[in-house]
């Protein structure tokens, strides 16, 4: 059995955890499917939407997504762009996922 830190052991491919009540990152994302999610991307872009799916690389499929990014001409202005289609986000560009989140009061999402 491969070494997993802090006494965290998995039984083969089953997601049950022994010796701990910890939840694995992909399990947390799996529980968020069908729920709103707030995503901070590398750089200054944020997205909110309904999580429809993901893979082991944390590539994400979202519905009803809204993108918030600074205006390239005036960084103090936040541009809100509603994305009408189902979208696929590359997991390499995802920095933070907040399941159930719509963005805190001081986020770009709240200022738009």
């Amino acid at each position: 059995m491969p070494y997993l830190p802090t006494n965290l052991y998995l039984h083969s491919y089953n997601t049950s955890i022994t010796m701990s009540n910890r939840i694995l990152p992909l399990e947390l994302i799996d529980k968020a499917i069908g729920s709103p999610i707030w995503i901070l991307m590398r750089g200054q872009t944020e997205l909110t939407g309904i999580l429809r799916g993901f893979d082991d690389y944390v590539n994400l499929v979202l519905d009803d997504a809204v993108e918030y990014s600074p205006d390239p001409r005036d960084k103090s202005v936040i541009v809100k762009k509603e994305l009408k289609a189902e979208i696929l986000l590359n997991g390499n560009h995802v920095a933070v996922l907040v399941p159930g989140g719509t963005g805190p009061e001081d986020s770009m999402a709240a200022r738009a």
Side-chain angles (χ1 to χ4, degrees):
M1 180 177 291
Y3 171 75
L4 294 172
T6 63
N7 296 329
L8 184 66
Y9 297 98
L10 301 178
H11 293 277
S12 63
Y13 294 104
N14 191 351
T15 59
S16 65
I17 301 173
T18 62
M19 300 178 67
S20 178
N21 289 335
R22 296 184 185 178
I23 185 168
L24 296 173
L26 293 179
E27 288 181 90
L28 179 64
I29 299 170
D30 188 52
K31 288 182 178 189
I33 290 179
S35 302
I37 192 163
W38 174 43
I39 304 164
L40 282 74
M41 305 295 285
R42 289 184 180 190
Q44 296 182 321
T45 301
E46 299 179 18
L47 291 110
T48 59
I50 305 298
L51 181 63
R52 293 294 174 214
F54 69 98
D55 63 13
D56 289 344
Y57 300 101
V58 192
N59 295 314
L60 305 171
V61 177
L62 296 177
D63 276 338
D64 303 324
V66 179
E67 178 184 62
Y68 302 90
S69 59
D71 188 317
R73 291 164 288 205
D74 182 0
K75 300 290 185 191
S76 66
V77 175
I78 304 304
V79 177
K80 177 181 177 180
K81 181 178 177 183
E82 293 190 27
L83 307 171
K84 303 291 184 188
E86 186 174 70
I87 65 166
L88 171 66
L89 293 177
N90 184 324
N92 288 330
H93 300 287
V94 173
V96 177
L97 296 173
V98 183
T102 57
E105 293 296 320
D106 59 345
S107 76
M108 287 193 295
R111 290 186 277 159

